Amino acid sequence: MNCERTGAIFCFGELLLRLSTPPGARFSNAAQMAVNVGGAESNVAALLAQLGHDVEMLSVLPTSALGDLCLAELRRHGVGTASVVRAEGRLGLYFFEPNGAGGRIIYDRHDTAFAAEAGGFDWPTLADRARWFHLSGINLALGKVAADAALTAASAMRAAGVPISFDVNHRASLWEGKSEAELAAVRDLATMANVLFASPLDISRLIRMELRAGSADGRRAAAEAAFSHFPNIQHIASTRRMFDNTGLQIGARFDTRATGSETPSARISNVIDRIGSGDAFAGAVIDGILRGCSPEQCATAGLAAAVAKHGMAGDRWIGTRAELESTDPFNTGDIRR
Amino acid sequence: MNCERTGAIFCFGELLLRLSTPPGARFSNAAQMAVNVGGAESNVAALLAQLGHDVEMLSVLPTSALGDLCLAELRRHGVGTASVVRAEGRLGLYFFEPNGAGGRIIYDRHDTAFAAEAGGFDWPTLADRARWFHLSGINLALGKVAADAALTAASAMRAAGVPISFDVNHRASLWEGKSEAELAAVRDLATMANVLFASPLDISRLIRMELRAGSADGRRAAAEAAFSHFPNIQHIASTRRMFDNTGLQIGARFDTRATGSETPSARISNVIDRIGSGDAFAGAVIDGILRGCSPEQCATAGLAAAVAKHGMAGDRWIGTRAELESTDPFNTGDIRR
Amino acid sequence: MNCERTGAIFCFGELLLRLSTPPGARFSNAAQMAVNVGGAESNVAALLAQLGHDVEMLSVLPTSALGDLCLAELRRHGVGTASVVRAEGRLGLYFFEPNGAGGRIIYDRHDTAFAAEAGGFDWPTLADRARWFHLSGINLALGKVAADAALTAASAMRAAGVPISFDVNHRASLWEGKSEAELAAVRDLATMANVLFASPLDISRLIRMELRAGSADGRRAAAEAAFSHFPNIQHIASTRRMFDNTGLQIGARFDTRATGSETPSARISNVIDRIGSGDAFAGAVIDGILRGCSPEQCATAGLAAAVAKHGMAGDRWIGTRAELESTDPFNTGDIRR
Amino acid sequence: MNCERTGAIFCFGELLLRLSTPPGARFSNAAQMAVNVGGAESNVAALLAQLGHDVEMLSVLPTSALGDLCLAELRRHGVGTASVVRAEGRLGLYFFEPNGAGGRIIYDRHDTAFAAEAGGFDWPTLADRARWFHLSGINLALGKVAADAALTAASAMRAAGVPISFDVNHRASLWEGKSEAELAAVRDLATMANVLFASPLDISRLIRMELRAGSADGRRAAAEAAFSHFPNIQHIASTRRMFDNTGLQIGARFDTRATGSETPSARISNVIDRIGSGDAFAGAVIDGILRGCSPEQCATAGLAAAVAKHGMAGDRWIGTRAELESTDPFNTGDIRR
Amino acid sequence: MNCERTGAIFCFGELLLRLSTPPGARFSNAAQMAVNVGGAESNVAALLAQLGHDVEMLSVLPTSALGDLCLAELRRHGVGTASVVRAEGRLGLYFFEPNGAGGRIIYDRHDTAFAAEAGGFDWPTLADRARWFHLSGINLALGKVAADAALTAASAMRAAGVPISFDVNHRASLWEGKSEAELAAVRDLATMANVLFASPLDISRLIRMELRAGSADGRRAAAEAAFSHFPNIQHIASTRRMFDNTGLQIGARFDTRATGSETPSARISNVIDRIGSGDAFAGAVIDGILRGCSPEQCATAGLAAAVAKHGMAGDRWIGTRAELESTDPFNTGDIRR
Amino acid sequence: MNCERTGAIFCFGELLLRLSTPPGARFSNAAQMAVNVGGAESNVAALLAQLGHDVEMLSVLPTSALGDLCLAELRRHGVGTASVVRAEGRLGLYFFEPNGAGGRIIYDRHDTAFAAEAGGFDWPTLADRARWFHLSGINLALGKVAADAALTAASAMRAAGVPISFDVNHRASLWEGKSEAELAAVRDLATMANVLFASPLDISRLIRMELRAGSADGRRAAAEAAFSHFPNIQHIASTRRMFDNTGLQIGARFDTRATGSETPSARISNVIDRIGSGDAFAGAVIDGILRGCSPEQCATAGLAAAVAKHGMAGDRWIGTRAELESTDPFNTGDIRR
């Protein structure tokens, strides 16, 4: 895995408009919805761009004003938009009803411009100027065009020697009723990837083996099983969330083929918005890998981004490198003056 | 046309979720959107139910919480929901960016539950307990299932002697690229209708004849042309909107085969939300017809509802019969204590 | 107690307008207040209607637009309003200043339309079509007319064999300065009731006996004391709230004459609005009784409704049967996609 | 009339909590209400205090936190509160549904602390340190205690030589069903007053004579009729509001026994909140009288305050003397940088 | 004036944070303020970038998070930020209290990072890749460093043959108490400029000559006087605002040395936010010049942008070229579906 | 220390406008900011005035409308403003980005009217009518004028026998880069003070000695060290904040020369706004001292005010003496009806 390439970090995936009810309202009686731009890969892109990397989004946006909104939001975070395709069609939506620490989501992603036109990229040309390629498993659940595009893209990147990070990002509702052949695409991507974001449970689904994740040892075993199954993977990272009667806690783990590192659990003192915390984690870990950080540093930086994201409204971590570096995920309760 | 039937007023059409930007925001930078339930026929239904009529909505709503929201909103206004069909699928949406007196709309109505399942009504049985049947031309633009359902419904109602009101409700963007055969359905519905909501321009499109609507005489001529073209129509009603350098004004017209009545123009002093003012007009006119009011009374009541609607947020007129009757459309600036 | 009757569930009580300050504001500097419709019995009615029961509210509402607001809100939830009386007069109000987990309330319930006209119902006729009758002790604190109406209603229902549920709903501020004769009415209602919502403390006030509620055994003893005191009661249910240094927790208990069942305490991870959680509990328990559920099922369903209510703004639980059944009160922190 | 007295300007009247729906919402579907403190005399008091006068409010406020809110608001504007009485009881409320230029109001003023305890002032002692006494006719419509207090107060002030300004402030809904004897109190107050705020229509009601107010001459004639009827009145002032198809306009008039002055009509370009504009007018006119301004100056200053008030949310004019003096009521559309 | 250069349009000036009270609130009782990023030159930059031009902002922003906010906002609109300097110090602020069509502004621009560090640009190097240079007279009022930088920049641009547009942007409060020498800098910039944004009144101040602007002829005469005074100016453009009793109207004018064109006045039907309408005008005119449009086209496009800006919250026009081209400034009241 | 003086409690310090982002927003993407008036000494003044003391603020406010806002806010809480100086210049600002239990602050306090004109008070005259004098160490960090004024004021008060309370109120960012001479002023004030608000860490900085504050004994030792260092100090009070995995907890301590008292830690169940909780503590402690309360009572009352403040938006505790006395800091989760 060549971390010394020059070029842009490319993130490939769909952008979505998120519409969220206010705290305490239900879908069935909401009078206002907050508007945010989402999409797992774009969340990763935004974090990496804010940390100073040269990042470009590869996506398809409708020609409507809602597409303009997404484009403006990418630019706002410094994500390059030169390769974004505009096409007739719908923008994917999702409705979010937050509910304290949790909530529920209604997806409305049928027949989007992305699902129709995701095949319109010239991957070999893009690979030439790619430093890194990131995508998530959601692409594989959005129909044949998008799934094929994801596999084609990964192959082209792999052929050109571009490191690939793949976030499994399992969403049960997106995968319901999919055929085994379709699910195989997830494994194909994992086979091509160099960095895998996957929990022990994700791994057990990927390699069809039951794994015990109740201890750090069990989690190391899961990582090792994945390493032996997928020959190109160099790094595996994941978060784990726990509820007990003192509330939500989160920990992070980072494995290489040689060793693994796991943080203690950090208490999330005030959940404003959980969505995108996994993407913030992924982005910070990729940044750590690109900068040659140790497993412990990668896990801790990822955890810091994930914890901080819980306190930020919207799908994306917003901040600067200085802020990320000064975030102590285990103590977020000070006022800095 | 038998106004003495008993039973419910049935309104047939799609319900939509409206998402509107705040005043002064643009789609491309909106952070909040107001949520309203729309749909032209449901707006008519809500007004008539609030005036005390027995009204039932005939529609298809998705099984999701967004469908629940629409159902709750119908109930809120006293509209009967016993015959609403629930089905898997999307809820139609539209995005509204108000802009002072005007604004723009982005429709997102593809592949909705209504468009898929509008055929699932037992029209002859419904006709048995119908007092009135109302629908708009929008149904005809929502795909073959919905268009066929509209025509089937109207035929069944006509066969059972149920009076039919039809609001042409022309939306250029919904009709773009439709074939002539499809457009013929609008004329078919007009042929079956007893009450037609159509401006002189709508009439000229319907009967393919150029008409001059610049004067009251010209508008009467348009009505007469429609009466002679469509043998079942007994009443034609419409509003006319004008902008000049003192702002928005609106007038109303009501024609029978014998005579027509036209109100002066009423100034709209403060536009909060224009959408649904035509539906408020239609509902109040239907109420007038059902109560045997004169053309002048119908026009004035319709105008009062339409003017008042401009001052109400959301798609629907909200009020009581007492309020409607005490609204002077030509003087809306008092504080009543 | 006949759970096989047909007819409607009748809920009898006053509706109130709630005006609540925003989080962190005080009454003395609030610039906005949120508007909600409250009233303990209407909260129970709304939950039962949302679960699919045929429910009717028996109340008196002023003829003003504020009365219209309450009526619309009942309809919204599917509660029948055919027997609601409209009369001149005030709507009762209460002001709520939430304060994290707690808060304070200022009542403004003097001389309301309900207090004046609650005697205007024809109870024997209503009893004929009643499946169930629910009321709370608040009626007894609203003046002679309302108190007499409550007792007359219960007698008529009892005479007709309609099961009665009675929620003691003790409010110290409403009972201050009441005479012993007035307090006797609470015991009279408990004597007629089949289902009693009362905590051990409520029971000790009712039967003037000191009871120890610090353990499950003590709570069972309290229930048994009530059973022996009030011959018609078949079921007693209550919640218990606890604060410790990890925050608010809540548990539920359900007793029959034969046995009792008590849930563990569930942590309330994010309190949006505590008001109405007891009513949500009562409604879900009544639903369980009507469906022949076990004591454990009744207690758990009640707890699930109560816990979920804490996360919903306003006085009422809002949802569907499917949601209630899928609520795990001990784990509310997931995002369901 | 002695404008050289020292001491405080006393304003006597009830304070009210105003709860207003957002623009475009109706009472029957409002989710939020804005909270303001109102009360005609307190609005006058606030303007005069902001202009630098020593002003004290004479009122009764409940001991609740809502009473605290009113007290804090008086202090905020610099109105003295040392003589405000606190008593058990309700705070009067009114609900306001603004509707563009107009709107409607629901009063909820029954059985307030003020209505019960307005008799608790020691008027002769207060008169000793009074520079001016202001009250409105609303006091006379709030029950016997308040009406008697108003008459007693005016007599005491008159006896001590304190100038009295009296704003008729006719509210049809407050006077409905009042006996002729009660209405006589308005005339009694006008008999004692030195300054009368009354439109020609008010005057015609006061002196039971039909008056033609369609022209400046007619309006002068009305003033002269009032002067001849009420021997103590030295100044009469009023505004006139007009709607035509370019919107709301307002003009002002000020009469002495010798002469009258009338401003042209000023266009109100953007009505934020009309309530209290008459009180702002009255306050600015009283200030003009106290400072020995000419009739034209009084009319223009009153008009400036009234026009500016239309652009301010809440019941009160808010500003400084410098702002009042720099307001050109005929040109309010500039941006001052 | 060479409109065929390649490179970026450079806009030089300070960015400001705007804090605005809600409609109807006053500074002295505002509880919330809306946050916008302002600055005349950045408003021009944003419009030009949205129309598709390659635009770069030349400014100094503090290293604080408030500086980050400004930078993100520039990126959002597609304005290049590569040459923005970050420095320790304050961000300039202004407080805006809108008041219907007008309002007032409090500036808080002392000792800003821009005022201290505006001298830190390498103008000759920037000139090499400049297609156009835009600045306003505000720079000249921000202290010696900024004023010198503006003159140095213009000289360097002029030396390199870069066309210069100069918006006089007179702000009385910024110029109060400035010496004659300082005012001379405005004339120096006008001498170097190719395009001048100046009203007849601005021109009369610039050339110290009284001019009559009451007619189109008088306005042409003013333009001709400026052309003869400032030899490099090729185009002069301005808007004129009028209030009469039907509200605010706005017209536009564009002059070349050969001819002038003036639009009729367009009614502004709903003023959301007037600030930045002059900058929107300037941006659209510059776009017209760059594309070789006729004087009439430049005036009309500028007017369309200015009228549309009045309906947009914040300091900047937001839209696309398609929207600008479809804006009819004389008819903004339609709903486009 | 003479607690029997008559006169006003004087609080000397700067007022600031606070602009805070909404929960979950970051400075770099905030669209709204909440406006509050802050300033440590004014927070203390407001609490003491609300408890019924005669309190006067000694400060300098700009002549702008923002200064008017601060003045109105002082009046609102009953704080006397007769001695507030108005002067040309800026109002100090601070920007607050809350983040669950913590957050960050950007100060913008350069060159304020206070910093320029704090020297304009006639301290000996003020001392004559002073009952108490309170100030904080922030004055010493605002430049030479303010620091000199603080020392001059304290000397004058001390000379007149007025008790002085001094809150060290250490703000690292305000003290960065200050010379040792400047820091000596803090010690000079501590030398003159009778009541010191200082944590063990503050004490260790003041007396340049390392102290162990991990236990109650260590904290007593710190107090004793301060007592022996500063001969006039009679009382020392402080809060201590702790985070563990169950959230934020706070305890209080009060020491006299004879003895100390320390409360247990109270859990803060819902942090709305932490800012000003130290000032609320200080105010309640001063009230306790003035009323001759025991150390335990002072510590508990201070803790109650500090805990309650966490649940109030804005910089100040808002309430009444009855509320303060009924606050149980260890149990804040009830609803009082």
Side-chain angles (χ1 to χ4, degrees), chain D residues 35 196 236-237 241 247 289 310:
Chain D
V35 178
L196 183 73
I236 299 176
R241 283 182 180 78
I289 294 170
H310 282 79

Side-chain angles (χ1 to χ4, degrees), chain D residues 161-247:
Chain D
V162 181
I164 297 174
S165 53
F166 174 54
D167 188 342
V168 171
N169 229 330
H170 185 79
R171 297 277 179 272
S173 67
L174 288 177
W175 282 103
E176 267 166 27
K178 300 280 174 180
S179 70
E180 187 56 28
E182 287 173 300
L183 295 174
V186 182
R187 276 183 288 276
D188 291 346
L189 272 185
T191 303
M192 288 186 273
N194 304 97
V195 178
L196 183 73
F197 294 96
S199 69
L201 177 61
D202 291 330
I203 292 171
S204 83
R205 271 190 295 247
L206 275 177
I207 65 175
R208 298 178 212 190
M209 186 190 296
E210 239 172 80
L211 295 163
R212 297 196 179 157
S215 67
D217 283 354
R219 292 188 282 267
R220 176 65 193 168
E224 287 176 352
F227 283 127
S228 70
H229 204 93
F230 299 111
N232 291 310
I233 294 178
Q234 304 303 318
H235 306 295
I236 299 176
S238 66
T239 58
R240 59 181 197 287
R241 283 182 180 78
M242 280 151 302
F243 267 95
D244 63 13
N245 77 343
T246 65

Side-chain angles (χ1 to χ4, degrees), chain F residues 191-273:
Chain F
T191 304
M192 289 187 271
N194 305 95
V195 178
L196 184 71
F197 294 97
S199 69
L201 178 60
D202 292 331
I203 292 171
S204 82
R205 272 190 294 247
L206 275 177
I207 65 175
R208 297 178 211 192
M209 184 190 298
E210 237 169 85
L211 294 162
R212 296 193 181 161
S215 68
D217 284 353
R219 294 188 280 269
R220 176 66 194 168
E224 287 175 352
F227 284 126
S228 70
H229 205 92
F230 300 112
N232 291 310
I233 294 179
Q234 304 303 319
H235 306 294
I236 300 176
S238 64
T239 59
R240 61 181 196 286
R241 283 183 181 77
M242 280 150 300
F243 268 94
D244 64 14
N245 77 340
T246 66
L248 177 63
Q249 303 197 43
I250 185 169
R253 180 166 184 93
F254 186 94
D255 288 279
T256 66
R257 290 189 169 263
T259 183
S261 176
E262 191 168 306
T263 72
S265 291
R267 185 172 179 270
I268 309 285
S269 57
N270 193 21
V271 180
I272 296 281
D273 193 331

